[in-house]
Amino acid sequence: MKPSVFSKLASLDERLHELDRLLADPGVVSDLDNYRKLTREHAELAPVVALFKEYRQSEADIAAAQELAGDPDMREFADDEIKSARQCMERLDAELQRALLPKDPNDDKNIILEVRAGTGGDESALFAGDLFRMYARYAERQRWQVEVISESPGEVGGYKEIIARIVGAGAYSRLKFESGGHRVQRVPETEAQGRIHTSAATVAVMAEADDVSDVNINPADVRVDTFRASGAGGQHINKTDSAVRLTHLPTGIVVECQDGRSQHKNKEQAWRVLAARIKDQQLRAAQAKEAAERKSLIGSGDRSERIRTYNFPQGRVTDHRINLTLYKIDFVMDGDLSELTDALIAEHQAEQLAALATTA
């Protein structure tokens, strides 16, 4: 283990002991906000320090075994103990390095998911619908909640655009690498000749702001328009100006919400999406700057990049960023995304470790 890593872990061990003392202080417990902050920090540090203690115990086991190695009758036993402890230390070293990687402050956030049809006409809208169902099924598997904020149906099914809020612990951490261009190759239902068509859709995954006020938005910079909702909804929705359009003048970001029956509900949802989009724009600018300094395969945040192809005739899904191909398209489209998300997270961690190695 590098001295810099060992020193960092030793300081975390000291900090955990300090937190134990603070959390036992009645004066600290009386301040609920501070108490929650300290308990959160304690929960984050405890598993890391536990690994560090295992590592140091393995060090102690090696030292004890080396003392025994001087006895000819104990040498074989001591050698086995040393070998086992060193293997344990190698495993713990790798785990501790991953545990020390910088945490994404958005990882535990809920997300705003946007899926839009791209090139390919009706087939693109159908594909956008399939993608949204894929993410909704994945969310169900994770026991997350999906709330549709706004939708614009396609002419023959699917969606021209759909925006949803996904509520669940770690939603952003699992889906943040889904942003980008998704391409499908298949024979459309409307294709009489049986020819394979290629169409596309774009996906945007944005961390939800904890509160709209967390994002610096000057109300004077936002134009609010109300209008009558169009499409399905019955007489009530077409007789009142319940739909809301927000235009953020400095960035040109426009958000429309008309699915709710009340103007108040639509305005609340529109502000939520606007805050997420502005926050996401700031995040992508930071990612682009980082990508300019060092090549990042999956964290560039570039929405124009084609990240994945779904080839139905061959039954395969290929993620182009990590050259991963899975021949299980039916499972993937039914929301079985764990193999993809796990591989993307692992690749991102490998990039972080490589960057850490060059700076440590």
Side-chain angles (χ1 to χ4, degrees), residues 171-196:
Y172 185 74
S173 70
R174 301 297 301 174
L175 291 175
K176 63 183 174 182
F177 299 122
E178 292 299 303
S179 294
H182 294 242
R183 184 177 68 167
V184 64
Q185 295 170 326
R186 65 184 176 187
V187 179
E189 295 177 12
T190 54
E191 171 56 59
Q193 304 296 322
R195 292 172 299 188
I196 296 172

Side-chain angles (χ1 to χ4, degrees), residues 71 74 116 166 261 328 341:
D71 183 343
M74 300 295 290
R116 291 186 178 82
I166 297 182
R261 285 191 169 271
K328 49 187 291 187
T341 56

Side-chain angles (χ1 to χ4, degrees), residues 105 226 238 242 292:
T226 57
N238 290 312
S242 59

Side-chain angles (χ1 to χ4, degrees), residues 104-294:
D104 186 333
N106 294 317
D107 272 352
D108 289 331
K109 301 278 178 66
N110 301 326
I111 63 172
I112 302 294
L113 170 72
E114 300 184 352
V115 184
R116 291 186 178 82
T119 55
D122 290 340
E123 170 63 7
S124 177
L126 290 169
F127 178 49
D130 291 339
L131 284 178
F132 178 72
R133 180 183 179 276
M134 177 182 79
Y135 292 123
R137 291 284 292 118
Y138 178 70
E140 287 175 18
R141 291 168 184 263
Q142 306 301 313
R143 302 186 185 278
W144 297 339
Q145 183 181 351
V146 179
E147 304 171 2
V148 174
I149 293 175
S150 175
E151 59 182 293
S152 176
E155 301 293 333
V156 297
Y159 300 101
K160 295 176 184 176
E161 175 187 90
I162 182 164
I163 303 173
R165 179 178 181 236
I166 297 182
V167 180
Y172 185 74
S173 70
R174 301 297 301 174
L175 291 175
K176 63 183 174 182
F177 299 122
E178 292 299 303
S179 294
H182 294 242
R183 184 177 68 167
V184 64
Q185 295 170 326
R186 65 184 176 187
V187 179
E189 295 177 12
T190 54
E191 171 56 59
Q193 304 296 322
R195 292 172 299 188
I196 296 172
H197 285 227
T198 298
S199 57
T202 57
V203 173
V205 174
M206 300 170 291
E208 183 182 49
D210 289 331
D211 192 282
V212 171
S213 62
D214 288 347
V215 181
N216 187 19
I217 305 175
N218 184 348
D221 290 337
V222 180
R223 187 175 72 237
V224 181
D225 298 308
T226 57
F227 55 98
R228 292 187 181 180
S230 58
Q235 291 182 333
H236 167 81
I237 200 166
N238 290 312
K239 285 186 175 181
T240 60
D241 289 343
S242 59
V244 174
R245 180 188 300 113
L246 302 181
T247 305
H248 187 243
L249 302 175
T251 60
I253 293 173
V254 179
V255 177
E256 286 186 6
C257 281
Q258 60 176 343
D259 283 23
R261 285 191 169 271
S262 74
Q263 185 185 115
H264 174 75
K265 181 67 174 176
N266 283 326
K267 185 179 287 187
E268 179 187 329
Q269 296 280 42
W271 273 102
R272 177 177 283 156
V273 174
L274 179 63
R277 285 189 185 172
I278 291 173
K279 179 176 182 174
D280 184 63
Q281 189 177 78
Q282 294 167 349
L283 176 62
R284 284 191 289 128
Q287 287 174 334
K289 182 179 178 182
E290 181 184 352
E293 295 171 358
R294 65 176 181 88

Side-chain angles (χ1 to χ4, degrees), residues 9-46:
L9 289 165
S11 68
L12 293 181
D13 191 7
E14 290 178 10
R15 174 58 178 166
L16 189 65
H17 281 98
E18 183 184 2
L19 287 170
D20 286 334
R21 289 194 298 273
L22 288 170
L23 291 171
D25 183 347
V28 171
V29 175
S30 63
D31 184 345
L32 279 180
D33 286 340
N34 189 40
Y35 180 72
R36 289 193 194 99
K37 181 181 176 183
L38 293 174
T39 52
R40 199 158 47 235
E41 185 183 357
H42 190 281
E44 289 173 359
L45 290 186

